[in-house]
């Protein structure tokens, strides 16, 4: 037993757990995270009155536990750290792309309403999706001023974690979570609640939706195509070959001419003949060819 009365886990057991998590979620736990895995499994085992890792492993691997149990275990093993306005260079690429694309479309099809669908991949508790929606709303104010027109936009936040999505849907955050939100933006887009909490205003909430899904299962789900796919700080926890596969899948969900924005270090040596790298040294972004 370890110091906290957790059963020891031998290396054979650790390798089995490592492989199971990687296969089902993409999460790759290095040996250095073994104590973290043990702590999460032990909490789960205590709740379920299971006394050893093999018994829990067999139940999970054979599907003998409920989907919710598996989800809660995955939730305790994944990193959900996030904040508003987290990756400013990546955000700038999105807003500048949407602005240019909107102006092009207004010119080529003046009478056609223009729509932008944005996907926040691994949206955690919603800050990223709301930041994107706020920036799109600001973009609309600029477009209205410049040419009297606006675009319709929607932001879909997708995550594997049910508890994170519940927070996202509520859109309520403690004051300290808004540290990176400019004061003017806070005034315009948030309602101040009691106890130093803020809620995203309805006009922005109405532009966002939150969906539970596993990005390893994109083949079978989320058939929609997007103008912008925004994936930051998600694939860094995946193995290189898995990252490549997920990015390939994400690329298939881009509309022609669409933009894929990845965090630095999300993927290295990625090439796809349908995509062209955007020339920007602060962020990793690709445009899908537009053959339409
Ligand atoms: C570190 S957070 C990043 C949040 C946000 N993108 C950001 O950059 O601030 C990573 C999120 O990816 C989610 N995630 C991890 N594996 C996933 C998977 N296989 N499918 C969907 N979401 C996943 C986690 O639940 C977590 O909320």
């Amino acid at each position: 037993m370890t110091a906290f009365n957790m059963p020891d886990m031998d290396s054979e057991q650790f390798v089995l757990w490592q492989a199971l998590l990687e296969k089902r979620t993409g999460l790759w736990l290095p040996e250095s995270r073994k104590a973290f895995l043990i702590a999460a499994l032990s909490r789960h085992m205590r709740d379920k009155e299971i006394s050893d890792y093999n018994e829990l492993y067999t139940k999970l691997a054979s599907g003998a536990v409920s989907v919710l149990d598996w989800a809660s275990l995955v939730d305790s093993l994944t990193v959900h750290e996030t904040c508003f306005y987290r990756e400013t260079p990546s955000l700038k690429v999105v807003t500048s792309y949407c602005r240019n694309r909107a102006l092009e479309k207004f010119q080529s099809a003046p009478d056609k309403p223009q729509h932008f669908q944005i996907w926040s991949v691994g949206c955690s508790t919603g800050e990223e999706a709301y930041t994107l929606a706020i920036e799109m709303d600001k973009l609309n104010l600029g477009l209205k001023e410049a040419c009297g027109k606006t675009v319709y936009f929607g932001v879909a936040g997708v995550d594997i974690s049910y508890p994170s999505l519940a927070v996202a849907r509520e859109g309520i955050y403690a004051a300290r979570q808004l540290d990176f939100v400019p004061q003017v933006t806070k005034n315009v887009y948030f309602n101040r609640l009691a106890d130093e909490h803020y809620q995203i205003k309805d006009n922005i909430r109405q532009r966002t939706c939150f969906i539970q899904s596993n990005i390893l299962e994109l083949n079978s789900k989320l058939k929609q195509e997007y103008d912008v796919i925004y994936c930051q700080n998600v694939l860094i926890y995946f193995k290189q070959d898995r990252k490549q596969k997920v990015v390939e899948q994400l690329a298939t969900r881009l509309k022609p001419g669409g933009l894929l924005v990845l965090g630095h270090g999300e993927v290295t040596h990625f090439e796809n003949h349908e995509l062209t790298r955007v020339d920007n040294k602060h962020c990793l972004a690709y445009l899908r060819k537009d053959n339409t």
Side-chain angles (χ1 to χ4, degrees):
M1 299 287 247
T2 61
F4 300 103
N5 282 336
M6 297 164 188
D8 288 327
M9 178 185 277
D10 61 37
S11 13
E12 222 171 284
Q13 282 172 324
F14 178 70
V15 169
L16 281 176
W17 278 103
Q18 209 179 26
L20 181 68
L21 286 166
E22 202 283 326
K23 185 168 167 232
R24 298 246 190 118
T25 68
L27 176 69
W28 178 249
L29 279 184
E31 182 82 30
S32 57
R33 301 281 284 162
K34 186 170 163 185
F36 170 71
L37 173 68
I38 290 179
L41 292 180
S42 301
R43 276 195 303 275
H44 201 77
M45 283 157 54
R46 204 169 41 233
D47 290 350
K48 301 280 152 211
E49 298 185 350
I50 293 173
S51 55
D52 75 88
Y53 299 120
N54 286 342
E55 187 187 342
L56 179 62
Y57 176 88
T58 311
K59 285 189 166 167
L60 287 172
S62 66
V65 293
S66 78
V67 172
L68 281 182
D69 280 342
W70 170 250
S72 103
L73 181 62
V74 167
D75 190 63
S76 57
L77 290 167
T78 30
V79 179
H80 303 288
E81 185 189 332
T82 186
C83 67
F84 287 97
Y85 289 88
R86 184 172 188 183
E87 307 288 350
T88 339
S90 301
L91 277 174
K92 282 199 177 130
V93 169
V94 174
T95 48
S96 132
Y97 164 83
C98 290
R99 183 181 161 82
N100 293 337
R101 190 106 177 131
L103 291 172
E104 268 166 37
K105 287 180 171 189
F106 290 155
Q107 210 161 42
S108 60
D111 299 326
K112 207 170 152 198
Q114 298 302 339
H115 294 248
F116 282 80
Q117 296 301 340
I118 301 178
W119 178 9
S120 157
V121 181
C123 64
S124 188
T125 39
E127 289 89 328
E128 179 178 281
Y130 288 130
T131 303
L132 287 163
I134 289 171
E135 286 305 299
M136 286 304 289
D137 192 73
K138 289 184 187 172
L139 173 67
N140 262 343
L141 295 175
L143 287 172
K144 181 119 190 136
E145 212 171 272
C147 61
K149 290 184 176 188
T150 57
V151 296
Y152 175 85
F153 70 88
V155 181
V158 171
D159 205 284
I160 199 169
S161 159
Y162 288 96
S164 297
L165 291 166
V167 175
R169 287 185 187 114
E170 235 184 353
I172 297 178
Y173 302 94
R176 63 183 160 70
Q177 291 170 281
L178 273 66
D179 277 354
F180 299 114
V181 180
Q183 187 60 46
V184 185
T185 305
K186 214 189 281 187
N187 296 344
V188 175
Y189 293 101
F190 291 80
N191 287 321
R192 192 171 177 169
L193 309 177
D195 303 330
E196 287 298 295
H197 279 72
Y198 290 81
Q199 184 165 35
I200 298 279
K201 284 195 177 164
D202 282 350
N203 64 327
I204 294 300
R205 288 177 77 199
Q206 283 153 7
R207 293 269 169 251
T208 54
C209 69
F210 293 97
I211 305 160
Q212 196 279 338
S213 195
N214 183 345
I215 52 170
L216 301 194
E217 294 163 10
L218 290 179
N219 259 339
S220 53
K221 293 180 187 165
L222 296 169
K223 291 289 181 202
Q224 191 179 345
E225 290 191 334
Y226 292 87
D227 298 277
V228 177
I229 299 181
Y230 194 79
C231 179
Q232 313 275 314
N233 308 303
V234 180
L235 305 179
I236 42 172
Y237 304 104
F238 290 16
K239 278 162 81 174
Q240 188 59 30
D241 56 341
R242 182 68 80 179
K243 293 177 186 203
Q244 302 273 359
K245 284 185 193 144
V246 174
V247 178
E248 289 291 348
Q249 282 295 317
L250 293 178
T252 67
R253 295 292 186 277
L254 276 179
K255 286 186 190 167
L259 176 74
L260 172 65
V261 190
L262 303 170
H264 262 310
E266 289 290 285
V267 70
T268 43
H269 315 302
F270 173 71
E271 275 183 35
N272 176 314
H273 70 280
E274 280 294 310
L275 303 179
T276 316
R277 175 99 195 251
V278 174
D279 185 18
N280 184 312
K281 63 177 186 295
H282 302 294
C283 105
L284 188 59
Y286 298 86
L287 281 174
R288 184 168 167 193
K289 285 182 189 156
D290 190 351
N291 305 320
T292 53

